[in-house]
Amino acid sequence: FSEWVYAQIYTPHLITSHRAEWRKRTAPIHVKNGREGRATRPCENRSYWRAYAFTEYDTGENVLVEKMGDKFVLSVDGQLRTVLSNFGLRQHQDESFSLPKQFEICKVTSETNGVFRVMYKGTCRSIVGGNPPVNIDFIRPQPAMINTITVIDSVKKEGRIELMVAQSLNQNAMNCNIAQDKSVFTIINNQALLYEPRLSFQQNYVKNPLQDGGAEAVTSSSGSVECANVARTFLNEDGCKLSLENSPCNRKELNHGNSFKLTPYNLKHIHEETGKFIYAINIPRLESEYHKSPCVHGYRARWRLKKKCMRNIHDDTASIFREIIAQSGDTNAFVRDTFLPNDKQCHQSDSNKINMEFKIGEDCWSTTHPDHANVYDFSGWTLSHPGNSNNSNPIKWPALNQYPRIQYPDHHPLQRWEDNKSEFPYLGRLGDYVDVNNLPDAIRSINFSELFGNEASTVNKDLVVCGSPFEAGTNRFVPKSFAIERRPGMRPLHKTSYGQQRRTIWTMISTAATDQLRQRMAWALSQILIVSSSSIKFKYQTESFLTYYDIFVRNAMGNYKDVLREVAYSPLMAEMLTYLESKSSEYIWNHEKDIQFSDENFAREIMQLFTVGLVKLNNDGTVKYDEFTGKAIPVYGNDDVTEYARLWTGFRRQEVRGNHEERGIGLNSIDPMTIHVQWRDHLPKMGLDGKYIGDQYILCTDLPKDNFLRTGAKYRLLGSSTRSDIQNIQSNVQIPRLDQSSVLYNKLCNPSGGGECSFPGIVYLQEAISCTGIECFLDSNPLVVQMDDEVYYEYVRPACVHFQFEKHKNTFMVIDSEGRVAVERENDSDQVADSLTYFRVHWKNGSYPH
């Protein structure tokens, strides 16, 4: 038994991945290419051929029935499926049809003579004989054919082939490269078979990434498939490699600062080019139940331009808001936002008014709903809006009629807007410039650079290829494949069946896998760090949930810290506990002129449920009590939760990529998240022990200038990019080119037996080394070093800290105990920053110090 336990713990190849087992068995019919991958071709190895004319994926399509002599020809979308001697509906066999005639397919089972039903007179009716066999007799001219095929494996029914996979053929043979939505046939032992395009996932492991990054799939699909090249993270960086291909797949990223203006014309242009329904919302009305007066301190009021003015406020009040708007620096042509400073007071007659109007010159400014003229992506609402019908879609109507705004209906209560607006990704205010890099994940898949004439940069992704844990390829004959969630109207399964796929994989592995101890440990961890599918928007995805479960499978025999790290970076956990795209108070104030604090959900749960718990414990596990009050000593309080919430800002999904389940969603729920620097809270955070997190780290300015040559120095391969990957900035100083005789060059080169550089993805210096040439004359540690003409490495500086405030240059937003706001400048700070000035939030009464 002890030997078995030892083997279970220390034998790496015994890991059974849930994600990998699902991918190996997933080869659904793939009629239309999507981001996730392309279909197999007729002459490729393991191409599928079937004996039945229709499949479940034809449900909802129209079958055209035509008469040719005494035969009946059945086709879908102009492509031949089969030829029948007889065609009729059960219970209507004596009824004649006027041909040609189209019938909507309402139910199919994928087998010869299986269920095949069509809509007739409002009822789903069975076809006589069921799902017909493929037949191409009497068809002239002959349809597209592949004449020489070798069977690898097959499923037979009554001695005849039902479904088979074929061996690869000469790719240049006739009809080998025919479009996947075209019918191609073959004849095996006098039996006609129809080619069945199937999705084929590619193997893209961490230690063995795709050498071309998925370029072949992108090229052969005319760009509808996304690159499979995975973003480099802490999970895969050790396996990233320099591609040996001439044209590896290059995931393009946008230049920092790349922006465009949210104008009515541009909103219409976005819809015309992408089909997205992005509007400025028009909500002019205000209601006292939901809104406050602009005279309330700490309340963000929005003003819109209008043609006629009532001038319904006192001159003193109007004078205050004229000054605020004039000094704001806001140049938006449609709306302005205001906060009343603490040292200003409206005239008493206006203190409770919510509807105000006044003039600045000839312009009339009127209060409006705080979200009026905000621009949102309503594309998802076009599918789920309760008012949609077969004949009407009020969410699509404005864009289809060239209107860039959408009106919030007067008969809808405002609470309905408050309840639903979180569903709509927010871009900015109409009239604002928006930085593409700051857009929500749900719309980052739009190539705004191409839309508005800006070129995207090839930052850091042109030669380095990376894989993903357990990203196995489809390598089995799969007569009954698992399915992937597809666009509405293309789903072959009922929604609940996608959840059943996950349970099926779990049952298979838990009952038959060889790593039983690991699987039981993984299950136990999954009961602690739970992700509930009911909290996930796209809960019918399979691969994303299996990827999350694999965190516990991989780390079952490891340490809990690694588990927590992966869980914290999981897009599913971030979505469930709502810190996905959480932003700092600084960012929200600067970009949205609103006062919000960072999301506290995960900050609370990671302490309460995942780690330290609610009360302090003694070493023996008993509760620790306060010697004076006799009460259990709490581990943390609400102030600690608010403080820790700032740790979990800036997390967002990685860019969309291919080679995993993703069907028109435009979100990456597979790879560990990245941190978007602009959304991050940069200020110091207090730990539970009363010390700032980072107090034990060295100041960055105190790092030795030759630290890049010392023991433990870390380097990451950048390929041909000169952008610092970790620090996400372009090196603006001269990049030192290493002499080929230097020790550092040879460590990074890591020459193979033939003397050629292998360029590992990650290099650690195992011992201190001496400098050579230019290395000896650097004034500080380099960000990037150059190897050859097209190869660069990034020096990964060890963790260190900066002072956050520059003396006498601190800006504070002061919030008192009643929530009133004043922006002040204080000049008495003793902390000094490296020329960094940040926006700081603190409680004036001292109850919440930062």
Side-chain angles (χ1 to χ4, degrees):
F1 178 75
S2 61
E3 292 178 356
W4 178 83
V5 171
Y6 183 90
Q8 289 281 304
I9 296 174
Y10 295 109
T11 310
H13 68 267
L14 283 180
I15 298 178
T16 306
S17 160
H18 292 239
R19 180 192 184 197
E21 292 304 310
W22 177 80
R23 287 175 61 89
K24 291 174 184 177
R25 294 168 171 81
T26 301
I29 297 174
H30 202 59
V31 179
K32 297 179 181 178
N33 283 327
R35 290 192 182 101
E36 66 276 2
R38 67 166 179 80
T40 54
R41 302 189 192 92
C43 298
E44 284 184 326
N45 201 37
R46 309 193 73 81
S47 60
Y48 281 73
W49 301 80
R50 68 172 189 256
Y52 39 89
F54 300 93
T55 73
E56 286 96 335
Y57 286 82
D58 291 314
T59 303
E61 300 287 347
N62 291 320
V63 56
L64 176 65
V65 182
E66 300 175 280
K67 197 74 182 293
M68 181 178 290
D70 61 347
K71 305 296 180 182
F72 297 86
V73 179
L74 276 61
S75 59
V76 175
D77 289 335
Q79 297 301 308
L80 174 67
R81 291 297 182 88
T82 192
V83 179
L84 303 179
S85 298
N86 296 291
F87 177 83
L89 302 177
R90 289 182 183 173
Q91 302 176 356
H92 298 273
Q93 295 186 40
D94 297 331
E95 192 167 340
S96 60
F97 303 102
S98 176
L99 299 179
K101 183 176 179 63
Q102 284 194 339
F103 297 88
E104 181 185 344
I105 301 170
C106 53
K107 188 172 183 180
V108 187
T109 57
S110 297
E111 60 177 328
T112 305
N113 305 127
V115 175
F116 182 49
R117 296 176 182 173
V118 298
M119 295 298 297
Y120 181 68
K121 294 184 177 181
T123 306
C124 192
R125 299 291 186 180
S126 295
I127 298 294
V128 175
N131 193 352
V134 173
N135 179 32
I136 55 174
D137 291 343
F138 312 107
I139 291 295
R140 298 292 182 272
Q142 193 178 58
M145 299 285 294
I146 302 291
N147 293 319
T148 305
I149 281 184
T150 302
V151 180
I152 298 177
D153 203 351
S154 66
V155 173
K156 293 188 176 182
K157 182 178 180 180
E158 298 177 358
R160 293 172 62 83
I161 292 174
E162 185 76 353
L163 182 70
M164 74 170 200
V165 288
Q167 193 172 6
S168 60
L169 299 174
N170 180 358
Q171 297 295 306
N172 295 320
M174 185 178 294
N175 297 322
C176 278
N177 296 308
I178 196 169
Q180 65 196 57
D181 59 348
K182 306 298 184 183
S183 294
V184 181
F185 299 87
T186 193
I187 302 292
I188 299 289
N189 297 328
N190 297 318
Q191 180 184 358
L193 299 172
L194 174 63
Y195 162 66
E196 183 173 273
R198 295 279 191 117
L199 172 66
S200 181
F201 286 127
Q202 295 179 284
Q203 179 177 300
N204 191 29
Y205 287 136
V206 169
K207 296 296 184 183
N208 187 27
L210 281 166
Q211 274 295 307
D212 68 349
E216 188 278 332
V218 175
T219 303
S220 62
S221 67
S222 300
S224 60
V225 175
E226 293 278 356
C227 283
N229 199 359
V230 183
R232 180 160 40 189
T233 68
F234 61 91
L235 278 184
N236 64 6
E237 64 176 5
D238 287 344
C240 294
K241 292 179 170 59
L242 199 63
S243 175
L244 301 178
E245 300 290 326
N246 291 327
S247 300
C249 201
N250 180 10
R251 295 191 303 111
K252 291 185 178 180
E253 294 184 351
L254 298 171
N255 287 310
H256 291 276
N258 195 350
S259 62
F260 67 97
K261 194 172 186 179
L262 293 173
T263 64
Y265 172 82
N266 282 342
L267 296 187
K268 289 189 286 186
H269 183 55
I270 290 171
H271 172 73
E272 291 168 356
E273 295 298 322
T274 70
K276 288 279 188 179
F277 293 86
I278 296 177
Y279 303 113
I281 185 73
N282 190 31
I283 318 179
R285 77 180 192 261
L286 292 167
E287 295 178 7
S288 58
E289 182 180 353
Y290 303 101
H291 305 114
K292 299 178 183 178
S293 168
C295 296
V296 174
H297 294 102
Y299 178 70
R300 176 178 65 84
R302 178 158 293 184
W303 306 76
R304 67 184 176 96
L305 280 171
K306 58 180 299 190
K307 294 181 179 179
K308 294 183 179 180
C309 249
M310 294 188 298
R311 302 179 66 176
N312 62 347
I313 59 176
H314 194 275
D315 286 343
D316 291 348
T317 304
S319 177
I320 289 172
F321 286 109
R322 285 192 192 100
E323 181 182 356
I324 293 173
I325 289 178
Q327 295 180 357
S328 68
D330 191 348
T331 59
N332 189 287
F334 300 98
V335 292
R336 302 287 172 86
D337 294 325
T338 63
F339 285 89
L340 185 68
N342 282 348
D343 59 352
K344 303 287 186 181
Q345 296 288 338
C346 294
H347 190 272
Q348 61 182 7
S349 63
D350 300 320
S351 59
N352 293 317
K353 284 183 181 178
I354 61 172
N355 290 293
M356 295 185 175
E357 294 183 4
F358 70 94
K359 296 193 77 171
I360 300 179
E362 296 301 316
D363 294 331
C364 177
W365 290 95
S366 174
T367 51
T368 188
H369 191 285
D371 295 327
H372 176 76
N374 278 354
V375 177
Y376 300 93
D377 180 8
F378 289 89
S379 300
W381 203 231
T382 63
L383 303 174
S384 56
H385 178 248
N388 294 343
S389 67
N390 292 332
N391 300 318
S392 173
N393 192 313
I395 309 302
K396 288 185 176 181
W397 189 91
L400 297 179
N401 288 276
Q402 296 291 302
Y403 290 109
R405 295 175 181 257
I406 189 168
Q407 177 72 37
Y408 187 75
D410 291 336
H411 62 276
H412 283 353
L414 288 179
Q415 187 60 49
R416 181 172 178 178
W417 171 253
E418 297 299 326
D419 291 342
N420 288 287
K421 71 177 182 179
S422 62
E423 298 291 321
F424 316 134
Y426 170 71
L427 281 74
R429 301 179 306 177
L430 187 68
D432 281 350
Y433 280 94
V434 292
D435 186 335
V436 171
N437 296 283
N438 290 332
L439 292 174
D441 292 339
I443 55 176
R444 277 197 301 156
S445 58
I446 298 176
N447 194 332
F448 288 102
S449 290
E450 290 185 2
L451 282 179
F452 300 110
N454 300 315
E455 292 187 1
S457 67
T458 56
V459 179
N460 191 27
K461 301 295 187 291
D462 46 359
L463 287 176
V464 177
V465 290
C466 304
S468 176
F470 300 125
E471 192 157 297
T474 306
N475 62 357
R476 298 172 183 265
F477 175 40
V478 190
K480 298 293 183 182
S481 167
F482 286 122
I484 61 172
E485 188 181 11
R486 306 169 80 83
R487 293 189 183 96
M490 295 180 65
R491 292 193 176 111
L493 297 178
H494 188 272
K495 289 182 178 180
T496 56
S497 298
Y498 291 99
Q500 183 59 46
Q501 290 188 150
R502 302 195 291 267
R503 292 188 287 273
T504 298
I505 287 290
W506 185 89
T507 302
M508 289 168 52
I509 292 175
S510 63
T511 57
T514 56
D515 56 343
Q516 288 297 300
L517 183 59
R518 179 180 294 274
Q519 296 299 328
R520 279 156 175 72
M521 280 293 298
W523 182 84
L525 289 169
S526 74
Q527 303 307 296
I528 300 171
L529 300 137
I530 297 172
V531 163
S532 171
S533 60
S534 62
S535 301
I536 305 300
K537 183 175 182 180
F538 297 103
K539 59 186 176 183
Y540 302 113
Q541 296 266 309
T542 301
E543 189 172 2
S544 58
F545 284 94
L546 297 181
T547 300
Y548 180 79
Y549 193 89
D550 270 353
I551 293 174
F552 312 124
V553 175
R554 280 199 313 277
N555 295 290
M557 304 305 176
N559 66 73
Y560 195 58
K561 180 181 178 181
D562 291 339
V563 174
L564 281 178
R565 185 185 192 188
E566 289 198 41
V567 165
Y569 274 82
S570 166
L572 295 188
M573 179 59 76
E575 182 177 351
M576 188 186 79
L577 291 183
T578 61
Y579 63 102
L580 182 65
E581 299 187 35
S582 178
K583 303 173 181 68
S584 69
S585 298
E586 171 197 6
Y587 178 89
I588 294 172
W589 172 261
N590 287 338
H591 290 78
E592 301 177 26
K593 291 297 181 284
D594 204 356
I595 302 167
Q596 295 180 24
F597 294 100
S598 305
D599 189 279
E600 298 178 0
N601 205 351
F602 187 65
R604 179 180 295 103
E605 302 300 347
I606 195 173
M607 290 190 287
Q608 179 177 338
L609 300 181
F610 301 162
T611 54
V612 292
L614 292 172
V615 296
K616 292 186 177 181
L617 304 176
N618 296 304
N619 289 337
D620 61 359
T622 58
V623 176
K624 187 177 290 188
Y625 293 95
D626 187 287
E627 59 180 317
F628 299 106
T629 65
K631 295 181 179 180
I633 302 174
V635 175
Y636 61 90
N638 287 334
D639 287 350
D640 298 306
V641 172
T642 306
E643 186 82 358
Y644 272 35
R646 297 188 295 114
L647 284 167
W648 303 106
T649 53
F651 284 82
R652 74 185 310 174
R653 289 181 170 92
Q654 298 283 358
E655 296 284 352
V656 174
R657 66 175 180 89
N659 203 40
H660 67 83
E661 181 184 19
E662 198 288 333
R663 191 68 178 180
I665 294 172
L667 295 173
N668 184 336
S669 294
I670 299 295
D671 302 323
M673 295 183 294
T674 185
I675 294 178
H676 185 48
V677 175
Q678 290 179 269
W679 295 348
R680 186 74 172 167
D681 189 305
H682 301 283
L683 299 173
K685 288 91 177 172
M686 184 70 74
L688 293 178
D689 57 0
K691 297 179 181 178
Y692 284 105
I693 298 171
D695 275 358
Q696 305 302 313
Y697 289 87
I698 189 173
L699 281 170
C700 298
T701 52
D702 289 345
L703 286 172
K705 69 176 185 179
D706 64 344
N707 208 66
F708 71 105
L709 299 174
R710 297 194 176 193
T711 304
K714 179 181 177 180
Y715 290 83
R716 284 173 58 149
L717 178 65
L718 295 180
S720 64
S721 172
T722 60
R723 180 178 290 276
S724 170
D725 199 12
I726 290 287
Q727 300 181 69
N728 208 22
I729 56 175
Q730 191 81 23
S731 178
N732 57 4
V733 297
Q734 185 175 2
I735 297 173
R737 179 162 184 162
L738 304 183
D739 192 289
Q740 293 190 12
S741 64
S742 82
V743 180
L744 179 58
Y745 180 96
N746 281 277
K747 295 289 185 183
L748 301 180
C749 168
N750 191 32
S752 61
E756 296 183 353
C757 292
S758 61
F759 296 123
I762 296 291
V763 176
Y764 291 95
L765 298 186
Q766 301 300 318
E767 58 185 3
I769 59 177
S770 58
C771 62
T772 301
I774 194 173
E775 302 163 17
C776 303
F777 299 97
L778 297 176
D779 294 328
S780 60
N781 292 290
L783 284 177
V784 176
V785 296
Q786 183 176 3
M787 297 289 290
D788 298 325
D789 289 340
E790 296 294 332
V791 181
Y792 297 84
Y793 270 89
E794 171 184 16
Y795 165 61
V796 181
R797 187 182 60 189
C800 58
V801 294
H802 292 279
F803 284 129
Q804 292 297 303
F805 303 109
E806 187 174 5
K807 192 172 184 178
H808 307 312
K809 292 185 180 180
N810 294 326
T811 303
F812 295 83
M813 180 175 73
V814 181
I815 309 174
D816 66 16
S817 59
E818 297 180 1
R820 295 178 299 187
V821 177
V823 178
E824 302 178 355
R825 181 172 296 277
E826 297 188 3
N827 298 315
D828 58 354
S829 174
D830 292 329
Q831 289 181 298
V832 180
D834 304 330
S835 301
L836 300 174
T837 302
Y838 285 104
F839 185 86
R840 186 182 180 193
V841 180
H842 72 106
W843 291 101
K844 196 170 185 178
N845 62 11
S847 62
Y848 179 40
H850 286 252

